[in-house]
Amino acid sequence: MSITETSDLWWKSAVVYCLDVETFMDWNNDGIGDLEGVANRLDYLAELGITCLWLMPFYPTPDRDDGYDITDFYAVDSRLGHLGDLVEVIRTANDRGMRVIADLVINHTSDQHPWFLSARSSRDSPFRDYYVWRDEPPKEQREPVFPDEETSNWEYDKKTKQYYQHVFYKHQPDLNVTNPVVRDEIAKILGFWIQLGMSGFRVDAVPFLLETEAVMGGDNLLPDPHAYLRSLRAFLGRRSGDGVLLGEVNLPREEQSVFFGGADGDELTMQFDFIGMQKMYLSLAREDAGPLVEALQSRPDGSPDSQWANFARNHDELTLDKLSEDERAEVFAAFGPEERMQVYGRGLVRRVPPMLAGDPRRIRMLYSLLFSLPGTPVLFYGEEIGMGEDLEQKGRMAVRTPMQWNPGRNGGFSDAAPADLVSPVVEGGFGPSHVNVQTQRRDPDSLLSFIRRLIRHYRNSPEFGWGAFEILEQPRPAVLAHTLVWGDGRLVALHNLGSEPADVPILLKDTGKSQLNDLLSGEVMSLTDDGQARIPLEGYGHRWLRVVREPDTRQY
Ligand code: NOJ
Ligand code: CA
């Protein structure tokens, strides 16, 4: 494939950065991060090497689910700025070589959305069928997603004497996508943001949006849910040739392929690899690459244009719901043994560095691993500097603290009084005096400089996003060795999940006379003519090796 085609499919080798406007940078010093703040930090993100910015919900909201409860899909929360400010962010990001995608939350609205206010005012409201109503809740119900706060997926509405469906909180009534008027409205929402310059969407809660029947056991069905997802993708394609749908689909492997549209690749452009993420933590906890290897090898085949989005952390709980109970207990024991570190009985509320006891070797190994996995890496703001969590905050809010820009007041996030901040700044060993952008930016040995190097080499190496992936069998369970081959290019990535140093034997086919260049350390290692080498790896060590044919006039 030529450079012309690969650059069209930009998501195959993007570097995605997720941020919440509210907690990123406060430009008018009212304590709440804003779009002007983001605009003023785009050069920082460009310098880091980000190519795609994912903005968490910025819409008007009563903010009972951190903005995932929306009252107007066509506007910007006035606390963050206005549409003009958003356009400046998009335009400036584009100018710096970054695309912007928005969170698309169309499974539900806030119960304060004018549609729902009308819908619940009378059974005759023109908006009644925008939502899902029943006289009686079904006998068989799914477990609520947030079991700490909800006991049911149905809430009784006293005035109109019916129950409405809500997969998430009761203040988030589910939209009725079986209603063609709602589907039309959803298309307009997509169209609106694309017209404004967005390059696509992170699509919230995709299985819940589609699985009307399976989720609720009801009679309110989409005849062919995947035909609906296909139609959304087709619509996006018509409005924006290269717009993406990056879907939140936390399902077992066997159920994932269909969300890509299988070999046709005509549904979600990308899916987060929730299984890979969970197994990665199991592997780290056990110091055994096995679970992660199995997760990677069990990824379903699909269209070459589809892509996996790899992540170590997001804004939600670090969910371990797809592990067995014993496996989950192992990860809890290793990375979050205290009850306050856990949530919903299935996840952790911590960030990576505190989970790894601040060990720089292990933290770097984890990010090296993440960026070397086949797919597109996604960072959650603050990961690049190694921010920690605030366990004083409730549940998932622990990781949603302000970005730490400098060691000064409020970590440079805002000049407002600390009591007025949207969330307190992390205190203690991971607070701004120890962890901040300003200090790390000047230090070539900092985590920030390390992540910047990883991104530079990721972007220089199409093998990661595009390549054929293969595991190189290892005698030591702690060592993960994999290759990625794309055209003439070949990379070998080595990761030692254990604390003991290891000599890693590798055997590569058809290398001819080649050497191995370590992209990260600059070392050059020899390879025998029949493709063998033994590569030393420190405890928790990592290497990215490029196989370079001698002489290769194209290398630089
Ligand atoms: C998934 C989002 O990631 C989460 O933060 C939110 O609470 C639910 N969807 C409900 O919108
Ligand atoms: Ca502000």
Side-chain angles (χ1 to χ4, degrees), residues 379-397:
L379 286 175
F380 180 51
Y381 77 93
E383 283 194 279
E384 73 277 21
I385 53 170
M387 270 170 57
E389 73 279 350
D390 179 356
L391 293 173
E392 300 295 310
Q393 303 306 309
K394 193 168 174 274
R396 296 176 293 163
M397 299 311 286

Side-chain angles (χ1 to χ4, degrees), residues 35 38-39 42 53 55 58 83-102 192-199:
L35 287 162
V38 174
L42 289 171
L53 204 56
L55 298 180
F58 48 72
L83 278 175
D85 297 318
L86 182 65
V87 167
E88 289 307 299
V89 166
I90 299 172
R91 196 212 74 89
T92 311
N94 290 169
D95 180 66
R96 307 298 196 270
M98 284 180 278
R99 290 178 165 86
V100 183
I101 64 173
F192 179 81
W193 295 108
I194 289 297
Q195 203 70 25
L196 221 65
M198 292 285 180
S199 296

Side-chain angles (χ1 to χ4, degrees), residues 25-35 79-80 414:
M25 182 66 210
D26 174 19
W27 209 249
N28 66 355
N29 290 319
D30 64 353
I32 304 167
D34 41 48
L35 287 162
R79 298 172 318 140
L80 313 179
S414 169

Side-chain angles (χ1 to χ4, degrees), residues 266-285:
D266 54 0
E267 296 188 27
L268 295 174
T269 326
M270 308 170 83
Q271 286 181 57
F272 291 104
D273 189 356
F274 277 94
I275 303 295
M277 181 278 289
Q278 302 190 32
K279 296 287 184 175
M280 177 176 81
Y281 282 101
L282 183 60
S283 275
L284 290 167

Side-chain angles (χ1 to χ4, degrees), residues 357-376:
D359 182 340
R361 298 170 308 164
R362 242 180 147 187
I363 296 166
R364 287 170 195 221
M365 184 269 290
L366 181 152
Y367 284 106
S368 160
L369 179 60
L370 183 73
F371 277 81
S372 74
L373 295 180
T376 292

